[in-house]
Amino acid sequence: HVEQLCVDALGRRDLFARAYADRWLGQLLAESAPARALVHLEAANRLVPGDGATLKRLGRVLLSLSAWERAADVLEAYLALPIGQRDDKLQVELSNVLARRLGRRNDAEACLRRVLERTPDHVDALRLMAELAAQANRTDDSLEWYERAARGAEKSKRYQAAAAAHVAIGHLW
């Protein structure tokens, strides 16, 4: 039903309705048919350039299609937007692509540092920083990053245990 509504909206002359429909079709098809999703998301991006939701979904689809360079460009554009600047999970994901797929370690480290400025105990960012330092033969830095990651993981476990206890107590009342 939703897909038919999107197809109907594509026939309209309203630019934003068409872009919204293309974005939704892209989102619906992202997992089952990423190549088809890419066509709709690129259309949505042409109609309304710089839309955060479209850029984020487009970047993820490009990642799933192993289009690393294009994915990095699109995700960097999304993360430059106010809506994307606080998306730590995507920053770490982009850092992974920059470092492992494109060999852009300095750019990856810059992304990770932005995450760590906001969230100093971000375990995935700390772990990736440790890996990048180890690859660059900066052993002392690598050990320091791994130690911080271990401390962050321990804090996260304590937080998760406290949250689970809180939920359990809430269900008892």
Side-chain angles (χ1 to χ4, degrees):
H1 178 69
V2 173
E3 189 171 354
Q4 185 56 49
L5 289 174
C6 291
V7 170
D8 292 344
L10 288 174
R12 293 180 49 186
R13 293 181 188 270
D14 180 2
L15 184 73
F16 291 103
R18 289 178 53 208
Y20 189 73
D22 270 319
R23 188 178 84 207
W24 269 102
L25 276 172
Q27 190 165 333
L28 287 171
L29 297 168
E31 289 184 31
S32 62
R36 284 183 55 208
L38 181 62
V39 171
H40 289 287
L41 291 166
E42 286 177 330
N45 194 46
R46 278 191 305 277
L47 291 168
V48 183
D51 173 65
T54 302
L55 288 172
K56 183 176 181 177
R57 177 55 62 190
L58 178 58
R60 289 199 178 279
V61 166
L62 288 164
L63 288 175
S64 75
L65 294 169
S66 302
W68 308 120
E69 193 68 49
R70 273 206 61 224
D73 291 344
V74 169
L75 293 175
E76 285 172 333
Y78 166 72
L79 292 167
L81 298 173
I83 191 171
Q85 290 176 355
R86 300 193 63 79
D87 194 334
D88 291 344
K89 181 178 178 182
L90 200 57
Q91 288 268 9
V92 172
E93 196 171 337
L94 174 61
S95 299
N96 224 342
V97 170
L98 291 171
R100 293 193 172 126
R101 301 293 181 173
L102 301 176
R104 293 169 45 191
R105 287 185 177 84
N106 291 338
D107 293 335
E109 282 191 26
C111 260
L112 294 169
R113 288 184 192 284
R114 285 191 295 272
V115 171
L116 293 170
E117 284 174 11
R118 284 187 302 280
T119 314
D121 293 330
H122 196 288
V123 176
D124 292 331
L126 292 166
R127 183 190 47 74
L128 189 51
M129 284 295 282
E131 290 175 19
L132 292 174
Q135 289 170 2
N137 294 319
R138 297 188 333 254
T139 307
D140 291 342
D141 289 344
S142 180
L143 288 173
E144 184 179 324
W145 289 116
Y146 275 126
E147 287 171 358
R148 284 184 60 190
R151 285 192 303 269
E154 186 58 37
K155 283 182 185 178
S156 178
K157 285 180 188 173
R158 286 196 308 264
Y159 170 78
Q160 289 171 359
H166 180 73
V167 168
I169 290 170
H171 287 295
L172 292 176
W173 295 106

